[in-house]
């Protein structure tokens, strides 16, 4: 069934796109916490704001192909429900925790020149940005686990719960030292 094989391919391309967006988000966050000037911050903030153009279409591709595969072969399965819940959670957390903060950072940077202000530094070091990235990365891995193993509803929910808990524990701020800015 060529249509189904194509859907699996596009579904995996969507998953790769989602993780590419997460990797770029990590790169932006890492560098935004080390910038010394507004010009440096602007470059990385631009990347952060542009990520929705990778993450959004990837999530949509995953959803459309996933629903197609469900309708044509699998029917209602616990692991598909868990995948759906994971994807919705990833999108909701990305918008609510990171999207708004990234937009606020972009607004602050637009009004700054020279060395970054204390206010902007505080925004760039907001621990929620890192927590959100950890939780979504862990959830994404949890969904891939569930997709590959295809356990029952209880196993799928447990896997997602463990992923969520790990993301929260690893990403929870513990008063780490603030990174030194790099002049360049
Ligand atoms: C973060 C979200 C998701 C990621 C990263 C993801 C990733 C994957 C991956 C890597 C596979 C291949 C596993 C394998 O062939 O053994 C797969 C399979 C599958 N996914 Fe997803 N998925 C996600 C969400 C969804 C959603 C929301 C649905 C349904 C609405 C879905 C439906 C399916 C189905 C039906 C398969 C089985 C394909 C097959 O083995 O024939 N996935 N997924």
């Amino acid at each position: 069934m060529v249509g189904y094989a194509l859907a699996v391919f596009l579904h995996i391309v969507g998953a790769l796109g989602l993780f590419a967006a997460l990797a770029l988000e990590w790169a932006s966050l890492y560098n935004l916490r080390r910038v010394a000037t507004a010009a440096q911050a602007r470059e990385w903030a631009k990347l952060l704001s542009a990520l929705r153009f990778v993450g959004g279409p990837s999530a949509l591709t995953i959803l459309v192909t996933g629903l197609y595969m469900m309708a044509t072969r699998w029917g209602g399965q616990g692991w598909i429900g868990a995948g759906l819940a994971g994807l919705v959670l990833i999108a909701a957390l990305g918008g609510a925790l990171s999207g708004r903060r990234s937009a606020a950072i972009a607004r602050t940077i637009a009004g700054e020149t020279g060395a970054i202000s204390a206010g902007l530094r505080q925004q760039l070091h907001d621990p929620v940005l890192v927590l959100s990235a950890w939780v979504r990365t862990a959830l994404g891995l949890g969904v891939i686990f569930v997709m590959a193993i295809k356990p029952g509803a209880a196993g799928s929910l447990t896997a997602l719960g463990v992923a969520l808990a790990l993301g929260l524990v690893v990403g929870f701020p513990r008063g780490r030292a603030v990174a030194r800015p790099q002049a360049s």
Side-chain angles (χ1 to χ4, degrees):
M1 199 174 159
V2 179
Y4 188 89
L6 199 61
V8 175
F9 167 70
L10 290 175
H11 193 71
I12 291 175
V13 170
L16 290 173
L18 196 68
F19 275 86
L22 279 168
L24 290 172
E25 179 174 342
W26 276 112
S28 308
L29 291 180
Y30 177 86
N31 285 290
L32 278 171
R33 291 160 85 89
R34 282 159 179 80
V35 295
T37 66
Q40 290 171 330
R42 195 167 291 119
E43 292 308 313
W44 290 108
K46 256 191 237 164
L47 176 59
L48 199 60
S49 307
L51 288 181
R52 62 179 186 278
F53 298 115
V54 182
S58 299
L60 194 63
T61 304
I62 290 174
L63 183 65
V64 171
T65 52
L67 289 175
Y68 170 81
M69 293 188 291
M70 181 182 90
T72 55
R73 180 167 298 181
W74 297 92
Q77 304 271 350
W79 56 273
I80 295 181
L84 205 49
L87 188 63
V88 168
L89 211 52
I90 289 169
L93 290 174
L97 299 181
S98 302
R100 285 184 199 172
R101 283 172 172 79
S102 307
I105 286 172
R107 280 196 299 276
T108 309
I109 289 175
E112 294 206 9
T113 51
I116 60 172
S117 65
L120 178 55
R121 183 174 302 285
Q122 203 171 4
Q123 277 181 296
L124 298 179
H125 285 265
D126 187 339
V128 175
L129 287 170
V130 172
L131 177 66
S132 163
W134 269 119
V135 168
R136 282 175 293 124
T137 304
L139 276 175
L141 288 174
V143 174
I144 292 202
F145 176 83
V146 160
M147 295 280 135
I149 309 292
K150 302 181 177 49
S156 300
L157 282 181
T158 305
L160 272 200
V162 168
L164 181 62
L166 281 177
L168 284 169
V169 167
V170 177
F172 201 77
R174 325 182 165 75
R176 296 183 187 100
V178 171
R180 282 166 170 272
Q182 289 169 357
S184 74

